[in-house]
């Protein structure tokens, strides 16, 4: 079955750029059936969708983060990645990657559900 | 503040039935977008629980059920078990003038007494 695994530095300084990678096994990011998302959860708080990428590089981001987010895909490595610029303490969170089920209605992509999820990686923003 | 509103906590005794509500608006649940539910056990990633309002993925016990009507949805758990103690999140899609994106509820902590 498909499994996802996040990897990253664990600690980033304020104002720097956060970079995380999700490695997919047991399936292919090039499968046209799914999109691939990043979701985060600050300590003790709820879930926040960051954005998704499709195998062809098409992306969509949460409007609240759009100016700082870049999500990309590397089909040769079966990975997708997240970059979040100008981080602050408010970006401290567990970051999850997840396979994303979508529905396309008249050419418009609507995100359905997330399954499976990676185990998550804690990213702390601190000097 | 989350776009989808859930009660912060619910509780019930073993064997009882509990429900968790998820209230949205005309730009998400009321616009016809489906609601999905996740269970998050302490220290673990969310687990896919209910999809498209009322469908259970393979392996999810039939003690868990979901429904949706208008701008509201609910998750019901019957025959409560200690292992059900977790945080539960609803999720949907929202489309408004500010853009289209995924939205989550704030989460509900279920305590099994």
């Amino acid at each position: 079955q498909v499994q996802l695994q996040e990897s990253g530095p664990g600690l980033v300084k304020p104002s720097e750029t956060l970079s995380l990678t999700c490695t997919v096994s047991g399936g292919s990011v090039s499968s046209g059936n799914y999109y691939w998302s990043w979701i985060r959860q600050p300590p003790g708080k709820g879930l926040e969708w960051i954005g998704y990428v499709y195998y062809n590089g098409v992306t969509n981001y949460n409007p609240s983060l759009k100016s700082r987010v870049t999500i990309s895909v590397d089909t040769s490595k079966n990975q997708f990645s997240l970059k979040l610029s100008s981080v602050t303490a408010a970006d401290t969170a567990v970051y999850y990657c997840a396979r994303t089920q979508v529905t396309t209605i008249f050419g418009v992509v609507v995100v359905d559900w997330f399954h499976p999820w990676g185990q998550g990686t804690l990213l702390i923003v601190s000097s | 503040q989350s776009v989808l509103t859930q009660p912060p906590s619910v509780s019930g005794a073993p064997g009882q039935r509990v429900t968790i509500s998820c209230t949205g608006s005309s730009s998400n649940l009321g616009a016809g977008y489906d609601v999905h539910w996740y269970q998050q056990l302490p220290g673990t990633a969310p687990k896919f629980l209910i999809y498209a309002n009322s469908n259970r993925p393979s392996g999810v016990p039939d003690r868990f059920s979901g429904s949706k009507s208008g701008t509201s949805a609910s998750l019901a758990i019957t025959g409560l078990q200690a292992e059900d103690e977790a945080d539960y999140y609803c999720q949907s899609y929202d489309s408004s003038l500010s853009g289209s994106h995924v939205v989550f509820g704030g989460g509900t902590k279920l305590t099994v007494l």
Side-chain angles (χ1 to χ4, degrees):
Chain A
Q1 78 244 22
V2 175
Q3 293 185 311
L4 294 85
Q5 177 69 59
E6 305 88 349
S7 58
L11 179 66
V12 177
K13 290 182 170 55
S15 80
E16 292 187 343
T17 295
L18 166 170
S19 294
L20 297 174
T21 296
C22 181
T23 301
V24 179
S25 59
S28 174
V29 296
S30 299
S31 163
N33 296 326
Y34 299 101
Y35 286 55
W36 304 90
S37 287
W38 286 97
I39 298 156
R40 70 179 183 179
Q41 184 174 34
K45 296 187 178 181
L47 301 164
E48 180 181 37
W49 176 73
I50 300 171
Y52 68 58
V53 65
Y54 195 40
Y55 78 97
N56 61 2
V58 167
T59 56
N60 189 24
Y61 303 134
N62 188 322
S64 68
L65 296 168
K66 189 172 184 177
S67 63
R68 299 194 292 132
V69 173
T70 302
I71 299 176
S72 58
V73 63
D74 186 336
T75 56
S76 67
K77 295 181 179 179
N78 216 27
Q79 295 176 334
F80 61 105
S81 299
L82 167 68
K83 290 188 187 299
L84 182 65
S85 63
S86 304
V87 298
T88 70
D91 295 310
T92 293
V94 175
Y95 285 75
Y96 297 101
C97 57
R99 190 179 69 177
T100 306
Q101 179 71 44
V102 307
T103 299
T104 303
I105 305 173
F106 300 116
V108 176
V109 174
V110 174
V111 172
D112 287 325
W113 57 86
F114 304 103
H115 175 69
W117 298 55
Q119 66 182 30
T121 186
L122 176 62
L123 199 292
I124 297 173
V125 179
S126 175
S127 55
Chain B
Q1 190 156 355
S2 301
V3 174
L4 302 178
T5 301
Q6 297 180 235
S9 63
V10 298
S11 63
Q16 285 190 333
R17 178 182 187 269
V18 297
T19 62
I20 298 172
S21 62
C22 175
T23 303
S25 66
S26 59
S27 63
N28 42 70
L29 302 189
Y33 294 116
D34 289 336
V35 66
H36 320 287
W37 292 90
Y38 304 87
Q39 176 194 59
Q40 187 175 33
L41 298 171
T44 68
K47 171 192 169 186
F48 187 39
L49 193 64
I50 296 285
Y51 69 97
N53 307 320
S54 59
N55 298 279
R56 281 187 310 277
S58 174
V60 174
D62 59 7
R63 301 186 297 104
F64 294 89
S65 63
S67 64
K68 179 198 165 197
S69 178
T71 58
S72 295
S74 64
L75 172 71
I77 310 172
T78 59
L80 262 184
Q81 299 180 3
E83 67 202 48
D84 299 332
E85 188 160 290
D87 293 326
Y88 293 84
Y89 292 90
C90 61
Q91 173 248 314
S92 186
Y93 199 70
D94 188 281
S95 185
S96 65
L97 291 177
S98 65
S100 299
H101 59 100
V102 173
V103 289
F104 285 96
T108 298
K109 181 174 181 58
L110 169 62
T111 301
V112 180
L113 302 170

